[in-house]
Amino acid sequence: MDEAGPVGRKTKRPSSRSWDAVANWYIGWAGAEGSRHHRELAIPAMMKLLALQPGEHLLDIGCGAGALAPAVMAAGARYCGLDKSPRLIAHGRRHHGGKVRLLVGEATKLAASSSLRREEFDAASFLLSLQDIDPLDAALASGRWALHPGGRLVIVMTHPCFRIPRQSGWGWDEARGLRYRRIDRYLISLDIPMQEYGRKGRAGGGTTRSYHRPLQSYFAALSENGFLIDALEEIPAPAPEGEGRALRLSSGDIPLFLAIRALRHR
């Protein structure tokens, strides 16, 4: 897909790649049930907005090894996860056993999957995955395809206004005694290669890509794919213990994650 920039200019970008090359590194860092930020921030925010009821069926798109699965099962709902990386899916199957359904597949082409049915799910999730998936429009179209009318889609992602890889960071204003967030670019959509993880050319080594888009791109793509946004939450990182007041204030006031819930209305 060609994605429009802030003044309508279009830039052609390559589609997202599998995390298979960094799967071993990622599992070593996060495990099958997620990192600390998954467990303490992202998963609770996701579950709050999903509001799953017993017996409901969830599709977790870009699921990795299925970090969301234990919380979904604890709510009495059924979990199905899909990811492009065979290594991450294999690890998730070993960890979760036969309790959940985990599939290898392309998040932007769910309609081509022989393992899924149209309108099969009550809810769908992108847990810290949508910022790594491109094209955005195709990913959201897949979410719509999987949901029955009235179904809900919940996205938890790094906040696109404040956490732009290689284009944002923390700074310190000595005169005012303030820690601030520096934003170098925002409105232009960016295809950003991330740092290399593991050893290049070997299993567990390689790079991934992140796709920055401004908020207007997410809102427009959701609307164009038949979704109505009905909830939005901004989630700060925990304030570091034992640190100065300036660091605590900035950590608690500048969000780390953004959570969006949207309902399929057509």
Side-chain angles (χ1 to χ4, degrees), residues 23-46:
N24 293 344
W25 164 82
Y26 182 78
I27 290 298
W29 172 69
E33 299 194 9
S35 68
R36 178 187 174 191
H37 279 156
H38 280 88
R39 299 189 303 271
E40 297 182 4
L41 299 174
I43 291 176
M46 174 66 73

Side-chain angles (χ1 to χ4, degrees), residues 80-206:
C80 177
L82 177 138
D83 199 277
K84 197 172 182 178
S85 167
R87 287 193 180 104
L88 288 176
I89 290 297
H91 186 88
R93 287 171 177 167
R94 289 193 298 271
H95 180 82
H96 299 295
K99 300 176 184 177
V100 300
R101 183 181 173 203
L102 291 169
L103 305 172
V104 176
E106 171 57 66
T108 59
K109 300 176 181 177
L110 294 189
S113 172
S114 61
S115 302
L116 298 172
R117 299 192 310 275
R118 183 183 182 91
E119 300 182 355
E120 180 179 355
F121 297 91
D122 303 288
S125 58
F126 288 96
L127 177 65
L128 301 184
S129 61
L130 191 56
Q131 70 266 12
D132 300 321
I133 298 173
D134 195 66
L136 173 62
D137 184 72
L140 295 178
S142 281
R144 181 187 183 281
W145 178 88
L147 289 169
H148 63 64
R152 53 209 183 273
L153 174 73
V154 179
I155 301 162
V156 176
M157 59 183 166
T158 51
H159 203 301
C161 297
F162 305 106
R163 309 285 176 153
I164 307 167
R166 300 193 179 189
Q167 302 295 329
S168 64
W170 292 109
W172 177 256
D173 186 329
E174 187 68 38
R176 301 171 67 201
L178 291 176
R179 185 176 183 241
Y180 61 87
R181 192 75 184 167
R182 187 202 77 247
I183 308 298
D184 300 330
R185 301 180 74 179
Y186 173 68
L187 277 177
I188 297 175
S189 296
L190 300 170
D191 171 0
I192 305 169
M194 304 300 284
Q195 73 181 69
E196 185 177 320
Y197 298 103
R199 296 183 180 180
K200 190 174 181 179
R202 300 181 60 179

Side-chain angles (χ1 to χ4, degrees), residues 1-4 10-13 135:
M1 168 188 169
D2 288 345
E3 186 167 335
K10 297 184 178 183
T11 55
K12 190 171 183 178
R13 302 182 302 172

Side-chain angles (χ1 to χ4, degrees), residues 185-248:
R185 301 180 74 179
Y186 173 68
L187 277 177
I188 297 175
S189 296
L190 300 170
D191 171 0
I192 305 169
M194 304 300 284
Q195 73 181 69
E196 185 177 320
Y197 298 103
R199 296 183 180 180
K200 190 174 181 179
R202 300 181 60 179
T207 59
T208 61
R209 306 190 82 81
S210 183
Y211 302 92
H212 165 72
R213 303 128 178 157
L215 277 178
Q216 64 185 11
S217 294
Y218 287 103
F219 280 45
L222 284 164
S223 177
E224 289 166 4
N225 281 284
F227 288 101
L228 288 175
I229 295 171
D230 83 326
L232 183 150
E233 292 192 11
E234 297 174 293
I235 305 151
E241 296 180 5
E243 298 290 347
R245 180 174 180 271
L247 194 150
R248 293 197 307 271

